[in-house]
């Protein structure tokens, strides 16, 4: 019991331990909820819901009508759970604190807060767009797809890392390695 | 209601794994693309292995039907992955 509490309070777990928990959560998701755990879809669900309230053209679009329901779906609730889970995990080891800019970003790209936030937002848009085309993100496609041996998952991972590495080369330039 | 409860429980576990694994840090995401810290790959691949054994094991036992396999669409998966990778490297999440 003490051992367990000690483990839960550790600020950082081995990626293998955390990965085991991740795998188990995915299996339980399919077993008990008959759902693939995904992340990018929930933001599109909400975006469609909000935009649909302002524009009937959005509400009537094929995408939000047939592919990505503009509603508070199971995935949206899941994302609330993820947020709470990560928050409690951070609090369990005293890591829960506000930071307007990650230290690593500051060290490599300067301390401008607006620059970080703008790029984070743009990066998020690009990321969501890519997920929409591919049919999922690192959660719903790369992991959920690949663990079911769907070629889609592996193709996505290949594309993700290829462009991620290239983009990183550009962003970090001389400090890439 | 049952669906909502499972969504929260599973999400909580998912969020916990991400936080404890360090996947919520910009540095962790950024460094995997620079081969400085392969935490992301280790985390993902371990999750995949455990998930594969779990899903296929349960399927073999007849407990779990695999009805939700992601559709493979070569152009979409690759192009989507490429676009996604750019966003992920820029934003760090």
């Amino acid at each position: 019991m003490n051992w367990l509490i000690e483990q839960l309070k550790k600020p950082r777990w081995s990626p293998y331990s955390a990965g085991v928990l991740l795998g188990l959560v995915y299996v339980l998701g399919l077993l008990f909820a008959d759902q693939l755990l995904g992340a990018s879809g929930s933001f599109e669900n909400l975006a469609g819901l909000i935009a649909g309230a302002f524009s009937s053209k959005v509400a009537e679009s094929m995408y939000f009508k047939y592919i990505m329901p503009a509603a508070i779906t199971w995935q949206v609730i899941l994302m609330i759970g993820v947020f709470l889970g990560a928050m409690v995990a951070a609090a369990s080891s005293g890591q829960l604190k506000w930071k307007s800019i990650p230290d690593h970003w500051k060290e490599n790209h300067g301390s401008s807060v607006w620059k970080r936030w703008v790029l984070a937002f743009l990066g998020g848009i690009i990321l969501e767009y890519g997920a929409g085309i591919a049919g999922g993100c690192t959660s719903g496609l790369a992991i959920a797809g690949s663990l079911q041996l769907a070629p889609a998952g592996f193709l996505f991972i290949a594309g993700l890392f290829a462009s991620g590495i290239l983009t990183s080369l550009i962003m970090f330039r001389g400090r890439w390695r | 209601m049952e669906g909502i409860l499972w969504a929260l429980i599973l999400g909580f576990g998912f969020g916990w794994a991400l936080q404890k694994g360090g996947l919520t840090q910009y540095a962790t995401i950024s460094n995997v693309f620079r081969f400085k810290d392969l935490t992301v790959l280790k985390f993902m691949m371990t999750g995949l292995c455990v998930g594969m054994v779990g899903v296929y094991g349960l399927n073999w036992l007849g407990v779990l039907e695999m009805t939700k396999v992601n559709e493979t669409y070569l152009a979409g998966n690759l192009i989507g992955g490429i676009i996604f990778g750019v966003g992920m490297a820029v934003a760090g999440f």
Side-chain angles (χ1 to χ4, degrees):
Chain A
M1 193 58 186
N2 279 324
W3 176 84
L4 183 60
I5 292 174
E6 187 180 303
Q7 297 310 306
L8 292 178
K9 286 188 172 182
K10 266 182 161 186
R12 184 77 168 242
W13 287 6
S14 143
Y16 304 109
S17 305
V20 168
L21 173 58
L22 179 75
L24 290 176
V25 168
Y26 270 84
V27 174
L28 292 176
L30 280 169
L31 192 60
F32 294 118
D34 193 30
Q35 292 277 0
L36 294 178
L37 272 55
S40 59
S42 58
F43 296 100
E44 293 189 25
N45 291 143
L46 292 177
L49 194 60
I50 294 169
F54 288 98
S55 162
S56 60
K57 201 168 281 187
V58 169
E60 289 297 308
S61 80
M62 296 287 281
Y63 188 68
F64 287 112
K65 250 188 158 182
Y66 300 105
I67 297 176
M68 185 62 66
I72 295 181
T73 61
W74 192 89
Q75 295 290 339
V76 173
I77 306 296
L78 180 80
M79 219 33 51
I80 293 172
V82 169
F83 184 78
L84 293 176
M87 184 176 270
V88 173
S92 74
S93 51
Q95 287 182 308
L96 188 60
K97 62 195 71 170
W98 170 264
K99 256 185 213 174
S100 58
I101 200 173
D103 293 336
H104 190 253
W105 176 281
K106 191 180 294 186
E107 286 161 20
N108 291 281
H109 309 299
S111 55
S112 169
V113 175
W114 71 265
K115 183 180 173 188
R116 162 59 185 168
W117 282 56
V118 168
L119 281 175
F121 189 72
L122 288 179
I125 292 175
I126 294 169
L127 182 153
E128 281 289 326
Y129 196 79
I133 291 174
C137 58
T138 38
S139 307
L141 179 52
I143 297 178
S146 297
L147 65 82
Q148 297 184 98
L149 296 180
F154 296 107
L155 287 169
F156 182 80
I157 291 176
L160 186 164
F161 275 101
S163 64
I165 291 165
L166 280 177
T167 303
S168 183
L169 261 170
I170 294 169
M171 282 185 69
F172 285 84
R173 280 184 282 273
R175 281 165 300 204
W176 194 75
R177 295 266 338 165
Chain B
M1 186 54 209
E2 181 184 322
I4 291 178
L5 191 60
W6 268 115
L8 288 174
I9 292 173
L10 292 164
F12 193 95
F14 190 5
W16 185 282
L18 288 169
Q19 172 66 26
K20 291 300 186 182
L23 281 282
T24 56
Q25 308 292 318
Y26 170 77
T28 307
I29 303 294
S30 171
N31 284 337
V32 75
F33 291 128
R34 300 195 288 158
F35 306 107
K36 281 182 177 295
D37 175 2
L38 300 184
T39 295
V40 172
L41 270 179
K42 292 172 181 171
F43 178 78
M44 280 178 71
M45 294 305 131
T46 304
L48 276 177
C49 291
V50 172
M52 274 178 190
V53 171
V55 166
Y56 275 88
L58 290 172
N59 178 257
W60 180 76
L61 288 173
V63 177
L64 178 67
E65 266 181 57
M66 293 173 68
T67 59
K68 281 191 148 63
V69 181
N70 306 66
E71 285 177 38
T72 298
Y73 168 42
L74 192 69
N77 298 141
L78 264 183
I79 293 173
I82 288 170
I83 294 173
F84 187 93
V86 172
M88 189 174 172
V90 169
F93 45 66

